[in-house]
Amino acid sequence: MCITGVLMMYEAEMQTWMDRRGVESHPPEPDSQALNVETLIRMTRQAAGVDLDLITVFPGRSQPVEVHLKRRKSGSLYLDAYSGAVIG
């Protein structure tokens, strides 16, 4: 029971880790800056046609941005932090 409890406690973190495996942002140049949150929100609204529920910016230069869309049941989208393109 202890193992099951620990797995249930960290279920969300393990799911996020599995979802992000192999999904990375790639800066076009070594000194490039990631897009700001307002720009990512605007680009996502235009591409998906719906509002965002939640946006998560992970630390690190190669980490994607996670976006949860309203009225979407299939989870989240991962965006390239430098171009705003959907990568996963």
Side-chain angles (χ1 to χ4, degrees), residues 31-80:
D31 59 345
S32 295
Q33 295 293 318
L35 296 173
N36 62 32
V37 173
E38 290 81 14
T39 303
L40 289 168
I41 290 171
R42 183 177 36 80
M43 292 174 74
T44 304
R45 280 184 184 151
Q46 289 174 349
V50 295
D51 286 333
L52 281 69
D53 223 8
L54 175 73
I55 186 166
T56 305
V57 179
F58 298 103
R61 290 189 49 80
S62 65
Q63 296 300 315
V65 175
E66 182 179 18
V67 175
H68 292 270
L69 302 174
K70 288 188 178 181
R71 297 183 304 256
R72 184 178 167 104
K73 302 223 186 283
S74 62
S76 57
L77 297 174
Y78 290 95
L79 307 177
D80 185 293

Side-chain angles (χ1 to χ4, degrees), residues 20-26 62-64 79-81 87:
R20 287 186 9 212
R21 285 187 69 193
V23 179
E24 294 182 348
S25 291
H26 299 287
S62 65
Q63 296 300 315
L79 307 177
D80 185 293
I87 56 175

